[in-house]
Amino acid sequence: MGNESLLLLTVCAPLLGSLLLPLLGQISEKLRNGAALLMVAAALACAAGLLPAAIAGTPVTCRIGGLDLFQADRLAVFMALVSTLVGAIIVLYSFGYISHYQHRNEYYFMVVLFLGAMMGLVFARNLIAMYLCWEITAIVCWRLIGFFRDKNCVLKADKAFLVTVFGAVCMLLGFIMVYVQVAKVSGGTGSFDMEVIKRTLAGHHVSNWAVGLILLGIFSKSATVPLHTWLPDAGVAPSPVTALLHAAVLVKIGVYAYARLFLVTMPVSDLWQVLVPMAAAISALVSAGAALIETDLKRIIAYSTISQIAFIFLGLSMGGKGQAIGVVGGLLYILMHGISKGGLFLCAGIVEQNAKCRDITKLGGLVKVMPVTAVAFLLCAFSVMGIPPLGGFFSKYLVINGALTSGQLLVGFTFLAGAVLTILYLFRVFNLVFLGEARTDWVGQGVGEKSPTMVFSVGALAFLSVAAGLLVKWPFDFAQQAVQQMGIMQ
Amino acid sequence: MTGAHLFVPIVLPAAAGLLALLLAKKERLCAALALLATAAGLADAGLLFGKALNFAAPWGGLGFFEFSLRLDHFSGFVLLAAAGFGLLIALYSVAFMKGRSSAGQYWAYFLITLAFVNGAALADSLIVLLFFWEGLLLTLFGMIYVGHSGAWRTAMKAFVLTGVADLCMMAGVALTIYLAGGQMAMSKIQAHPLPTGGLASLAFILLMIGATAKAGAMPFHTWIPDAAIDAPLPFMALVPAALEKLAGIYFLARITLDLYVLKPGSRLSILLMALGCVTILLPVMMALVQKNYKRLLAFHAISQVGYMILGIGTAVPIGIVGGLFHMINHAMYKSCLFLTGGSVEKQAGTADLAQLGALRRQMPITFACFFVAAASICGVPPFNGFFSKELVYDGALKAGGAWSWGWVFYAAALAGSFFTAASFLKLGHAAYFDKPKQDKSAVREAPVSMLLPMLVIAGMCLLFGVWNQLPLQKLIQPILPAGMLKGEDFSGLIPHNWWLVAGTVAALLLALANHLWGARRAGSGLGAADHIHHAPGLAGIYDAAERRVFDPYEIGMKFADAVGWVTWQVDRAIDFLYDTVTVKLTAAFVFAVRVPHTGSHAMYLAWALVGLAAIVLLLMGAV
């Protein structure tokens, strides 16, 4: 199979394949579940199939209807691999989790469509294609957050939709300004094609207004303070959905778009290399502090995501001498955070579903009845804290190293304080949920890790957290090659 | 022998540890595995000692990210010492941990700890060092966690305090690599150590925080006394008493000798010496009033680090040699002391001094080992602690140079010796001589497998004292850069400075007199320090300290909660903007727009005309 077909298949297998799922669901539950997993796995396999071409350094372009619609370079392949890997495990976990709720057809349709839209966004070479996929994720997200249909869920879903769409519309305005600027510079027509934008605007700065508008879109999608409060509220969704939002797809869209647009496509003013780290520092601190006070299990992990996303922004937005280190660290962070945060949410799902409670002050002592979940949670938490030999250590070190090397000492130390808070709030959650005195008689109520597929999924993510640390060389090398292709380092 | 051999000290215990984790249910198998692995480790460390080997392989990109190991004299020494303690304490643990439900996990963490410490000692790249160094957090948590069902609180405390220090060190490593122009191999930076000042001083202090906190210095120390109560006792003998001292002081010496230029009399040197003195004095004052065998020892494990930091901080050869000699001496006598504490606890069923007494008759060998180790820590000649402390004193005075402010540090260190001696007189008196408060006649001497490690270590304490040429000439002095010693030799039974000996003897005699007076006043050895404990002015401070008012962990947690509360308010305020303000504004807008929509066609038509007129005017204006 040619590389172009592989690329097309990576995007279309989940994006178009998802439409079949409700039909398959009419025939058989198992068939639909299997097909959903197969579609995501196919995307994963095809993205892996694009690796050799990506490593060789020639971007694969896919032309549809006279437009260069999709393009796979190292950055895109890296992101696609992370998303589909975590996404596939989440789909597997859903088999156990969602099996006793209604609307399962819609659920699998939306989840696979979500991943498909993500693939489209990742490989998009055209700003409008990117925007379209961006909005598909917003709609899907709206359905999934409100999945349980009661009034509160629907309100939270509306909130998420309104905030992210507000950002996206701002972003669209920004795209149009870029289009106009391209037209001005080239003296001809404008363009939404990223390669054309890159060629035409080389040596210019994109107008700061456009950057600001696009950043609004990015920050609203990646839940950065002050556009963040919809993310903790989205915790009303089913746990695999929150895992998907936090680890694999939604919030990663923003950081990916930052890398794609501002590091690869558009040259931006140095001003943003100061402003974005500062915004990220505030976001990291505010959300980490809030995580220390919150008592709802899923909301705490959501605040943790906001805080960790800020670390990724820090890595990606560094300028100066530390830029290459920071960006490599930021990309590794996307991988490590995806794996371990996915694991944390799926563990939370097991706790929530079996103990029927999300308030950490009412849980406790669950390590006795859920030993595998407890160990998996702890390993994933260690990775988020950045403790070696788990993967999170490398990404956290590189990001901090980047900040300090760029001379941004104040920002760097703010993030160190954020890292200390990370240790504190994750331990607080672990202690209150799994250790200490049980406030309820778990054994008597027959609470335990019921579904083997769910336990296997969290085990797999915990294992990946460890493996990503011990075998860090491969993702590290690839992230570095991606950064070289992005033109940031030689 | 090739560079790849350097993986053996890391991979061998790590693999054995992982295997033990899998076999955690089979306690005896795990113990056998641990004994085998530590014995093999000691043989291997003996084989490696004195050799110079290097290993490097790419470890990710960025041009400088390399997995590099280096064996030189210093790392070989640390490896050998760690392996020795590993084997002896493993032997001791077999009997001690027998029958405990968590023994399998204990063995696994024990072995993995050894692997990480070996890795840290062998690391050449600073990032590899950081990797193993921070990795120790995991097993630190695990080993305290298995103590008993409530030990996780202390485990978390240890993790958080050490974790904060490690994050500081992470920043220090990043800055150091930056200052060294992207070079991260210590063996390369060593050729041109970095001058201090400005950013470099910041980096130095950050690294220093990491190193001294690992060694157990203030203010990251408060988990150690708690762990003494909660963790399995051999953990105390292995980790805070031996391995962490080795690792922390090893890296502190690397920072001051290899990475940065530390000049005697410089501000950083004085900072280190001051940190050393504070760390000597405050914890020893706390040790004096403890009523628990293990907790008392734990405070000394903190206090003694002060001597090492003071010695290395002097930046003069005699002080550095003294500090390093004290490191190995401390590792020996303190682990021996903890082991005696363990056998007392195991045999008598408690470590509470109020319930112990007269054990010298039932446990004579344990008592003999205690006696030797206690004499060593107090600095009684001719035991090892005496010689290393004399060198540190000498260094403190020499560092003062022409202004001779060094005597301030000397006086503080000597006061530390006084209190050390006083608290060990109290401990020995209370545990081994006092009348027993309960009938302890059934108590028997500990089993041979527990006595043997104690005897070996106590023998070493004596050996390193009377034949101090062996450790000093073969182990310690070669660590210093070649040009630094200028042919000096600090070994020998005859002290270099008789004035210092007189001072030490005076302090010891004073401690003895103080003890005898206090014991007679209180009527028991246990109460011998009560007159200090309840002295006017001190009583209140002691009270507050026992209530953990000064515990940086408690203060830090309160501070973190306060930060959390403030940020939580910020977060809620932002959410208020979305959930209330936006909604209200929208409603107000809708209301305002609805008012004119009365349904009157004439009104709508009038608006349309006005609008049309506006557009026409606008277009005309544009044209």
Side-chain angles (χ1 to χ4, degrees), chain B residues 173-257:
Chain B
V173 165
L175 282 175
T176 304
I177 292 173
Y178 167 62
L179 290 166
Q183 183 57 260
M184 65 175 197
M186 290 196 281
S187 56
K188 304 260 168 54
I189 300 176
Q190 197 175 351
H192 306 283
L194 305 163
T196 52
L199 196 59
S201 292
L202 177 66
F204 178 92
I205 290 172
L206 288 168
L207 289 181
M208 184 193 95
I209 290 173
T212 56
K214 182 63 78 191
M218 291 182 76
F220 296 98
H221 64 292
T222 54
W223 62 272
I224 300 175
D226 293 350
I229 304 296
D230 290 327
L233 184 118
F235 159 79
M236 293 303 289
L238 181 73
V239 178
L243 295 184
E244 289 198 334
K245 299 290 179 280
L246 290 172
I249 299 302
Y250 163 79
F251 187 52
L252 186 64
R254 286 275 188 222
I255 302 168
T256 54
L257 293 174

Side-chain angles (χ1 to χ4, degrees), chain A residues 159 226-229 286 289-290 292-294 299 303 321 382 388-389 394 397 405 424 427 431 473 476-477 480, chain B residues 58-62 65 127 131 134-135 138 141 152 156 159 177-178 560 564 567-568 571-572 574-575 578-579:
Chain A
K159 182 173 176 180
L227 294 162
H228 68 291
T229 62
V286 167
L292 207 52
I293 304 295
E294 181 60 66
R299 287 180 64 96
Y303 279 114
K321 287 180 188 149
F382 280 144
F394 295 95
Y397 173 76
T405 305
L424 293 181
F427 257 119
N431 290 342
K473 188 175 181 322
F476 198 152
D477 278 345
Q480 191 196 349
Chain B
W59 196 33
L62 289 174
F65 225 72
I127 297 176
F131 177 81
E134 282 202 44
L138 297 182
F141 181 81
W152 54 269
M156 174 186 167
F159 189 102
I177 292 173
Y178 167 62
T567 57
W568 175 247
D571 177 77
R572 289 298 89 197
I574 294 171
D575 199 46
Y578 288 102
D579 280 2

Side-chain angles (χ1 to χ4, degrees), chain B residues 381-384 386-387 390 462-469 472 490-496 498 501:
Chain B
F383 296 100
N384 58 1
F386 168 74
F387 293 97
E390 297 306 296
L462 189 59
L463 180 75
F464 273 26
V466 294
W467 191 23
N468 58 40
Q469 289 89 342
L472 281 172
F490 304 117
S491 64
L493 258 187
I494 296 150
H496 299 266
W498 284 101
V501 179

Side-chain angles (χ1 to χ4, degrees), chain B residues 105-349:
Chain B
Q105 279 189 62
Y106 167 84
W107 286 115
Y109 303 145
F110 184 110
L111 290 166
I112 297 172
T113 303
L114 275 177
F116 280 133
V117 168
N118 289 343
L122 285 173
D124 186 18
S125 151
L126 282 167
I127 297 176
V128 178
L129 177 81
L130 193 66
F131 177 81
F132 288 116
W133 192 273
E134 282 202 44
L136 280 168
L137 285 173
L138 297 182
T139 54
L140 179 70
F141 181 81
M143 283 186 99
I144 301 176
Y145 175 80
V146 298
H148 60 89
S149 64
W152 54 269
R153 287 193 182 80
T154 305
M156 174 186 167
K157 183 173 178 178
F159 189 102
V160 169
L161 283 171
T162 319
V164 171
D166 285 358
L167 281 172
C168 293
M169 184 164 137
M170 178 193 257
V173 165
L175 282 175
T176 304
I177 292 173
Y178 167 62
L179 290 166
Q183 183 57 260
M184 65 175 197
M186 290 196 281
S187 56
K188 304 260 168 54
I189 300 176
Q190 197 175 351
H192 306 283
L194 305 163
T196 52
L199 196 59
S201 292
L202 177 66
F204 178 92
I205 290 172
L206 288 168
L207 289 181
M208 184 193 95
I209 290 173
T212 56
K214 182 63 78 191
M218 291 182 76
F220 296 98
H221 64 292
T222 54
W223 62 272
I224 300 175
D226 293 350
I229 304 296
D230 290 327
L233 184 118
F235 159 79
M236 293 303 289
L238 181 73
V239 178
L243 295 184
E244 289 198 334
K245 299 290 179 280
L246 290 172
I249 299 302
Y250 163 79
F251 187 52
L252 186 64
R254 286 275 188 222
I255 302 168
T256 54
L257 293 174
D258 292 355
L259 298 180
Y260 288 91
V261 184
L262 185 69
K263 291 206 185 75
S266 64
R267 268 185 239 165
L268 286 175
S269 157
I270 293 173
L271 176 72
L272 262 178
M273 291 169 76
L275 174 70
C277 285
V278 173
T279 301
I280 292 173
L281 275 178
L282 297 182
V284 81
M285 297 290 290
M286 288 303 295
L288 191 62
V289 303
Q290 297 305 315
K291 310 267 181 198
N292 182 298
Y293 201 134
K294 298 188 293 182
R295 207 170 147 81
L296 187 148
L297 290 179
F299 277 106
H300 279 290
I302 304 159
S303 163
Q304 295 294 311
V305 187
Y307 289 99
M308 307 168 208
I309 297 173
L310 175 62
I312 289 174
T314 60
V316 294
I318 191 167
I320 299 171
V321 168
L324 290 171
F325 191 27
H326 203 66
M327 163 187 86
I328 187 69
N329 290 340
H330 174 269
M332 294 192 295
Y333 59 64
K334 185 50 55 65
S335 55
C336 183
L337 284 167
F338 270 119
L339 296 184
T340 66
S343 29
V344 166
E345 187 192 25
K346 177 110 180 154
Q347 303 305 115

